């Protein structure tokens, strides 16, 4: 973390870019593959470093938090693809029957394997160690409110990145709540499964960058049209209907808000809003699930990401190339005379 004594550094930059990564369990492998494709676009233009070096803000929810934290900590997109592919079945072990079903009496999965994977990948890094603006939504279940974990909040600098990610990825029914400082946290997808809007408003509030000076690149985890239920199905569903039909309740909680929040962000008039996602056909949709890390799921998600990258229209590709060819500002803190604590700012990469 850089510390400066020049209050002039607090002047807001004229532009900033946000990379926002949606939640979606193991379907985040699609996002990781897409990040690797975008990183390849960037390297084809002769840029050094990784994709993270082209954006001021990295935001991620749930599995998006895993990817965002990895990028902010210096992991390459290719490394993230390898991590999810090789560790998926350890994090989401299959059982012989109802292998996609949520837990009803207790959480379906132990958080131990995921913690071990994160400890190996991220180590002891804290939010205060990062030179990127990182925004990770979660829900403080103890207090009953949504929260943002932020690398630019000095009050949170002691928090380990591993704990922040485990809090955001604690999907109800699948993983237990995660404890930090005596309070319990659960999946950020319950409040902001698509974190782009939260990141844009935070960038405006903290760093003074107007939304119309922001470029937002939002990556999804694939889309699938909801399956119609038989006509005989009752409208007055109980718990078994909501949870047993592919966990329809969680699908709606996580997915229904994303379109609304994207529309709200679009209404604020960002300089650019680029959303990359892939709608799966019926056969493909059957192959993937929040907690399915099998071979069919891996192949389907990799192929979907390749299609998305190949189908980017020429005008959109030009916009992407311009975004990815830039060197972003980095996070620093300025000591302001008379202030109780230093204030965050964005400074040129060469400063």
């Amino acid at each position: 973390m850089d510390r400066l004594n020049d209050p002039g550094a607090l002047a807001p930059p004229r532009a900033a870019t946000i990379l926002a990564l949606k939640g979606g369990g193991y379907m985040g492998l699609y996002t990781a593959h897409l990040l690797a494709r975008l990183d390849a676009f960037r390297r084809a233009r002769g840029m050094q470093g990784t994709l993270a070096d082209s954006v001021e803000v990295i935001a991620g929810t749930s599995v998006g938090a895993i990817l965002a934290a990895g990028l902010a900590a210096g992991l390459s997109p290719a490394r993230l693809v390898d991590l999810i592919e090789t560790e998926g079945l350890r994090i989401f072990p299959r059982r012989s029957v109802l292998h996609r079903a949520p837990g009803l009496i207790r959480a379906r999965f132990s958080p131990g394997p995921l913690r071990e994977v994160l400890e190996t990948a991220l180590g002891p890094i804290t939010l205060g160690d990062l030179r990127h603006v990182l925004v990770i939504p979660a829900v403080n279940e103890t207090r009953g409110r949504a929260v943002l974990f932020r690398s630019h909040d000095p009050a949170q600098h002691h928090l380990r990145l591993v704990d922040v990610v485990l809090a955001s990825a604690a999907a109800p029914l699948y993983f237990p709540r995660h404890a930090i400082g005596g309070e319990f946290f659960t999946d950020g997808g319950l409040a902001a499964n698509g974190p782009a809007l939260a990141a844009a408003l935070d960038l405006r509030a903290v760093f003074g960058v107007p939304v119309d000076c922001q470029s937002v690149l939002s990556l999804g985890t694939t889309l699938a049209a909801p399956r119609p239920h038989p006509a005989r199905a009752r409208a007055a569903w109980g718990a078994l209907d909501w949870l047993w039909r592919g966990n329809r309740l969680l699908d709606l909680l996580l997915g229904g808000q994303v379109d609304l929040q994207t529309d709200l962000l679009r209404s604020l008039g960002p300089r650019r809003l680029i959303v990359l996602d892939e709608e799966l056909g019926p056969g493909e949709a059957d192959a993937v699930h929040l907690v399915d890390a099998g071979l069919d799921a891996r192949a389907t998600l990799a192929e979907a990401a390749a299609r998305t990258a190949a189908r980017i229209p020429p005008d959109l590709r030009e916009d992407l190339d311009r975004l990815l060819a830039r060197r972003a500002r980095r996070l620093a803190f300025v000591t302001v005379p008379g202030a109780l604590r230093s204030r965050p700012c964005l400074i040129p990469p060469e400063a």
Side-chain angles (χ1 to χ4, degrees):
M1 164 176 34
D2 293 304
R3 294 195 175 276
L4 309 174
N5 291 312
D6 177 15
L10 290 172
R14 289 176 292 179
T17 299
I18 297 169
L19 174 64
L21 308 175
K22 177 183 160 186
Y26 194 74
M27 293 183 294
L29 178 60
Y30 163 86
T31 318
H33 274 294
L34 193 52
L35 286 168
R37 298 270 175 172
L38 295 176
D39 201 38
F41 290 171
R42 186 177 182 277
R43 284 185 279 108
R45 295 181 65 91
M47 295 296 292
Q48 302 298 311
T50 69
L51 182 64
D53 297 316
S54 291
V55 300
E56 277 77 15
V57 181
I58 309 171
T61 302
S62 199
V63 68
I66 297 174
L67 298 173
L71 291 172
L75 276 63
S76 70
R79 174 73 180 103
L80 294 172
V81 169
D82 180 67
L83 196 70
I84 296 175
E85 285 191 329
T86 58
E87 303 292 353
L89 284 174
R90 188 150 76 99
I91 296 168
F92 300 113
R94 292 171 69 94
R95 57 189 179 194
S96 56
V97 294
L98 301 175
H99 64 275
R100 294 177 173 180
L104 295 181
I105 305 302
R106 59 183 299 137
R108 166 70 191 280
F109 301 107
S110 164
L114 177 57
R115 174 180 277 281
E116 290 173 7
V117 170
L118 294 174
E119 292 279 4
T120 301
L122 302 176
I125 296 174
T126 67
L127 286 176
D129 294 329
L130 301 177
R131 300 181 75 188
H132 285 89
V133 176
L134 179 68
V135 178
I136 294 181
V139 172
N140 185 320
E141 192 268 345
T142 301
R143 300 189 180 212
R145 58 190 297 265
V147 297
L148 294 178
F149 291 111
R150 307 181 301 173
S151 61
H152 49 286
D153 181 355
Q156 296 181 349
H157 277 177
H158 65 288
L159 296 177
R160 292 186 65 211
L161 209 47
V162 168
D163 283 312
V164 169
V165 170
L166 286 170
S168 183
L173 306 178
Y174 289 109
F175 285 101
R177 298 168 300 166
H178 184 68
I180 299 178
E183 297 183 332
F184 287 101
F185 294 81
T186 192
D187 200 318
L190 297 178
N193 198 44
L197 177 63
L201 294 178
D202 192 62
L203 182 60
R204 182 178 69 179
V206 177
F207 297 96
V209 183
V211 176
D212 62 5
C213 293
Q214 299 179 19
S215 296
V216 182
L217 174 56
S218 178
L219 307 187
T221 54
T222 73
L223 304 165
R227 297 188 184 118
H229 293 299
R232 65 179 182 275
R234 297 186 305 276
W237 284 1
L240 286 180
D241 279 309
W242 277 110
L243 298 178
W244 220 255
R245 296 178 185 273
N247 201 358
R248 180 90 168 116
L249 179 61
L250 192 57
D251 285 345
L252 290 174
L253 283 173
L254 299 183
Q257 55 175 282
V258 174
D259 288 342
L260 175 60
Q261 292 177 354
T262 301
D263 288 343
L264 289 172
L265 176 56
R266 186 175 285 111
S267 73
L268 295 176
R271 175 178 291 182
R272 296 185 188 91
L273 175 56
I274 300 173
V275 179
L276 297 180
D277 214 338
E278 185 76 15
E279 184 168 339
L280 302 179
E284 292 178 312
D286 288 339
V288 303
H289 187 268
L290 290 168
V291 299
D292 193 334
L295 286 173
D296 287 347
R298 278 178 264 168
T300 298
L301 293 166
E303 290 166 6
R307 285 202 308 271
T308 301
R311 293 176 180 174
I312 296 174
D315 57 338
L316 184 56
R317 176 63 188 268
E318 289 181 10
D319 276 350
L320 273 174
D321 284 345
R322 279 193 290 269
L323 284 182
L324 301 177
R326 62 188 295 271
R327 293 184 63 206
R329 292 172 176 256
R330 69 177 192 270
L331 176 64
F333 289 82
V334 174
T335 301
V336 179
L340 295 177
R341 60 175 60 173
S342 55
R343 291 176 54 188
C345 63
L346 294 168
I347 61 173
E350 65 276 3

